[in-house]
Every structure is written in C-alpha cells, then in structure tokens.
Amino acid sequence: MRSEPSGAGPGRRKPLISGNWKMHHTHLEAIQVVQKLSYRLRPADYGAVDVSVHPPFTGLRSIQTLLDADRIPISLGAQNCHWEDQGAFTGEISAAMLAKLTVAYVIVGHSERRQLFAEDDAAVARKLGAVMRHSMTPILCVGETLEEREAGSAQTKVESQVEAALDGVSADQVGALVVAYEPIWAIGTGRTATAEDAQTMCAAVRSVVARVAGDGPAGAVRVQYGGSVNVTNIAELMAQPDVDGALVGGASLDPDTFARIVQYREDG
Ligand code: 13P
C-alpha cells in the first residue's frame, strides 16, 4: 500500500521539466536551441515550472555563458559525472568541474549509462554523493526493463534502485533530490507509460523516500516521469499528483516542441 506522506499533496512542489539531449547538438547547435527556447518561454512559464537543459559536456561552457549574459532563467544540467574530484580517469568529468560551470542539475544513473556503460547501483550512489557534495542537485534515474514489467517486478526493481542510491545520504539532503522514473521500455520507443502507471510508480518512489528519510523529505522530493514524453501526453502525465515534472529526451531537441512541453498548461 502506498503511504501518504504529509505535505505531499499536489501543488506543493514546483515542477521541473528537463531536456536530456543525450549525444545530440554540437555546442553551436546547442546555443541556437537555447536562444530559440528562450524566445518562446515567458516569465509566467518560469514562474510555474523550473526548466533545465542537459547538453553534452562540450556544450556546457557555451550555454553557461549564454544563460549568464542574457539572464535566461533556464538551469544548466549535465548528463553524467565521475565521483572523484580529480585523478587519472581518462575521459571522465568530475562533479567539481561541473560545479565550476554553475551546473545546477546532474543526471545520475540514466538507464543508458547503466545498460551501455555498465554502471551499477554502487557507482550511481557514489556519483549521487559527489553531486551533492558540490551543492548541485542529482536527477537520479530509475526504471524497469520490459521483462521486469511483464514479470510483475517493476515496483520492486525501482524501489531497490532508489534504496541503493540513497544509502548513506542524510535525511535532510534527500528532500532536495530529483528522482526520474524512466521505464526503459518507454525510452525512445514512442511508447509512453499510461498516466496511471506513471502515477503508481512515482508514488512508489516517494514511498521509498518516506521509508528511508521520513515524510518531510518524501513530501519535498520531486519525482519526474521520463520515456517518450511529448506535447500530446505531457498534460495528462503532469496532472498526476505524484508526477512533479518530466525528463524529456527526443522531444527536447527541438526548441519549439520543448517550449510547448514546458507550456503544457496551455496546450490541453
Ligand atoms: P525519450 O524522451 O527520447 O524517450 O528519452 C527519455 C529519456 O531517456 C530522458 O532521459
């Protein structure tokens, strides 16, 4: 049964809609996308929704400069980091380096990292700790495979991923977290979870947080849904009481489309 954390009612948490660009957009393209996005978003949009963009590492510095110079209230995000601050780790980027670029959010444990780059729960937990140590907000990704869903173990899988990542995180830090529930079978497939399934799983994530850290952090933690989010399904997903935002892949690459997703309140 779902426990109902105190203070966890709808409307209490400001939604966060994040664009995970994955390995798309050169730094020059990234600048154009953010400029166009900023032309389309209005103060009321930023008032209602926090927005972050997560370019590849090569775009971070350019986007940081643009956001600063034009005072654009979009938050800068990264897609991954290493847990050590520095060292002999060829090809890696540390959380310390990202913090210096005024990165606000760092995605950790994306399923593509877990599946294609063999990141296990222990590595994800260390990355999460590094992001918090540098005063940035982790976006912890969790989600089940199609086989796990069909076997009826989706909730168990996701709960165990959240528990493993939160091991060692203090209760007061947990409330500042963002967790993204991203069913692997919905990523890049055009097949979205139903709003009911998204709600059930996001509520399950919140229940784990309540168990691990208490009702206060559970009421504060923001839980995003990710997996084939687009302009037609965003409003229904966002209407769910435990869905506090979206982690958007493909549909965030185009600034017009991503702006309409951020403006989901008007599209329905
Ligand atoms: P899509 O929106 O392309 O399905 O990707 C979701 C995702 O993986 C975001 O992190």
Side-chain angles (χ1 to χ4, degrees):
M1 276 304 285
R2 178 186 164 202
S3 71
E4 195 68 60
S6 62
R12 297 235 3 169
R13 297 169 295 270
K14 188 175 182 189
L16 171 66
I17 298 188
S18 306
N20 175 12
W21 293 352
K22 308 191 179 182
M23 199 170 72
H24 296 282
H25 291 331
T26 66
H27 74 289
L28 298 172
E29 292 162 343
I31 290 169
Q32 288 196 337
V33 169
V34 171
Q35 274 172 335
K36 287 185 182 158
L37 185 61
S38 73
Y39 299 151
R40 279 153 187 72
L41 295 180
R42 298 183 293 270
D45 298 321
Y46 298 118
V49 178
D50 287 335
V51 182
S52 67
V53 292
H54 299 246
F57 289 130
T58 51
L60 286 174
R61 176 67 172 150
S62 309
I63 301 302
Q64 178 216 5
T65 308
L66 170 64
L67 297 177
D68 274 2
D70 291 1
R71 297 179 194 280
I72 301 168
I74 293 173
S75 296
L76 187 57
Q79 302 176 14
N80 182 32
C81 69
H82 197 273
W83 55 81
E84 296 289 347
D85 286 355
Q86 57 188 17
F89 301 102
T90 301
E92 292 294 312
I93 304 284
S94 73
M97 294 167 179
L98 298 176
K100 280 278 180 229
L101 287 169
T102 65
V103 164
Y105 297 97
V106 184
I107 297 170
V108 293
H110 191 282
S111 61
E112 286 151 17
R113 303 281 334 158
R114 293 179 192 258
Q115 291 197 313
L116 304 174
F117 301 96
E119 277 186 20
D120 59 14
D121 280 339
V124 172
R126 294 175 83 178
K127 291 179 180 206
L128 187 131
V131 172
M132 292 195 137
R133 200 166 66 243
H134 289 283
S135 305
M136 299 177 290
T137 301
I139 298 181
L140 166 68
C141 296
V142 295
E144 81 283 359
T145 62
L146 186 58
E147 294 70 38
E148 288 162 340
R149 172 145 292 263
E150 285 172 348
S153 58
Q155 209 157 313
T156 320
K157 165 72 176 298
V158 164
E159 287 172 359
S160 79
Q161 285 180 320
V162 176
E163 268 165 25
L166 297 188
D167 193 30
V169 182
S170 71
D172 53 323
Q173 283 184 310
V174 173
L177 261 182
V178 178
V179 181
Y181 165 62
E182 298 205 305
I184 294 167
W185 47 270
I187 294 177
T189 59
R191 189 179 158 197
T192 325
T194 63
E196 294 72 32
D197 282 345
Q199 163 58 25
T200 302
M201 296 301 285
C202 290
V205 167
R206 200 178 305 286
S207 293
V208 176
V209 175
R211 202 160 64 230
V212 170
D215 285 352
V221 75
R222 292 191 284 186
V223 187
Q224 296 178 314
Y225 167 80
S228 297
V229 171
N230 57 40
V231 288
T232 56
N233 57 31
I234 181 71
E236 196 188 358
L237 289 161
M238 293 300 293
Q240 306 306 311
D242 283 291
V243 177
D244 306 314
L247 185 53
V248 187
S252 73
L253 295 174
D254 174 70
D256 293 325
T257 307
F258 190 49
R260 285 183 61 199
I261 290 173
V262 171
Q263 294 164 335
Y264 67 93
R265 298 170 325 283
E266 299 159 29
D267 261 34

